Amino acid sequence: MSRAKTAPPQHSRRPAADLPPRDRILAAARELFYARGIRAVSVDEIAAAADTNKMTLYRHFESKDRLVAEYLRLLADEADAFWEQVGRAHPRDARKQLETWLQHLCEGMADPANRGCAFANAAVEIPEKDHPAREVIERHKISQRDHIARLCRNAGFSGPEKLADEIFLLLEGARVNMQSMGREGPCHRMPELFRMLLNSKAPD
């Protein structure tokens, strides 16, 4: 699988001092939520990291729950943008798009700062179905799986819907395994397993 020619989105980044308050708050939340977990981070910590105060934070986000939802929506938008970049880099080549995206994910998992999927992590911490972040999580995961299936169909793979499920579940499982057993556990075989899976379903 080839290396992506576009810069992958980052899970976290330090808020720049010259950003507007709302953007600084989101950047700080992104850094802290991903590194430490949503429940472990307080609104006070986010405000301090954003160089602002709670009053300003609540002016832009009516609650911590809404801030969590916006944090995840930002990541979902960046993931969609990366899909679009890959599509522009490899137009009319669905298999190359899929392989490039998978290579990007494999490389991301090798990063020591990677703590797995931010959406899966959030889903574990937020079981409440009425939490505003749940809709963002579920919509993103459904969209990701559907995008994989569309590329599998366009690439002419046999059983594209089943293949999409297999890719999706392999990816989800590898991310969890990385956190439970480390990068030297079975998850390190993910690139090899993806190649085997795609080759087994490739059109004649």
Side-chain angles (χ1 to χ4, degrees):
M1 291 182 281
S2 63
R3 183 183 298 272
K5 297 181 180 180
T6 51
Q10 299 297 313
H11 283 295
S12 59
R13 61 194 65 175
R14 295 288 182 185
D18 58 348
L19 289 175
R22 186 181 189 279
D23 293 340
R24 291 204 311 273
I25 293 165
L26 265 176
R30 175 186 188 141
E31 176 83 16
L32 293 168
F33 286 155
Y34 189 71
R36 292 173 45 199
I38 290 167
R39 300 293 190 192
V41 176
S42 70
V43 169
D44 288 315
E45 290 177 284
I46 296 169
D51 193 24
T52 187
N53 52 58
K54 286 173 64 174
M55 182 179 298
T56 301
L57 187 151
Y58 284 126
R59 187 182 305 130
H60 291 283
F61 306 95
E62 64 184 35
S63 66
K64 181 182 175 182
D65 289 349
R66 290 293 176 186
L67 176 56
V68 172
E70 287 302 313
Y71 148 70
L72 292 172
R73 190 172 288 112
L74 174 64
L75 295 184
D77 289 345
E78 291 183 358
D80 290 342
F82 189 72
W83 275 121
E84 292 174 4
Q85 290 174 2
V86 171
R88 288 193 298 269
H90 305 288
R92 297 178 298 280
D93 192 338
R95 175 162 182 165
K96 179 67 79 173
Q97 291 178 38
L98 182 60
E99 289 178 339
T100 299
W101 180 74
L102 292 172
Q103 180 67 31
H104 157 64
L105 295 179
C106 291
E107 291 173 356
M109 285 181 60
D111 184 344
N114 192 300
R115 289 192 61 250
C117 174
F119 297 90
N121 295 349
V124 171
E125 290 198 75
I126 305 171
E128 303 89 352
K129 289 296 183 180
D130 60 346
H131 192 289
R134 290 296 306 193
E135 180 185 358
V136 181
I137 295 167
E138 292 171 10
R139 185 169 63 246
H140 172 71
K141 289 296 185 180
I142 291 170
S143 174
Q144 186 180 73
R145 187 269 172 200
D146 288 347
H147 200 127
I148 295 169
R150 183 162 60 253
L151 290 180
C152 288
R153 289 193 298 271
N154 293 343
F157 288 113
S158 61
E161 298 296 327
K162 182 173 181 289
L163 176 59
D165 287 341
E166 291 169 342
I167 292 171
F168 187 81
L169 291 173
L170 176 58
L171 174 60
E172 295 283 283
R175 284 165 160 169
V176 173
N177 176 257
M178 181 189 71
Q179 294 192 69
S180 62
M181 297 180 66
R183 289 169 181 77
E184 300 306 315
C187 70
H188 83 277
R189 296 187 57 207
M190 190 169 71
E192 171 194 354
L193 295 175
F194 277 138
R195 283 194 298 270
M196 292 172 58
L197 187 56
L198 294 183
N199 289 336
S200 71
K201 304 292 185 179
D204 296 332

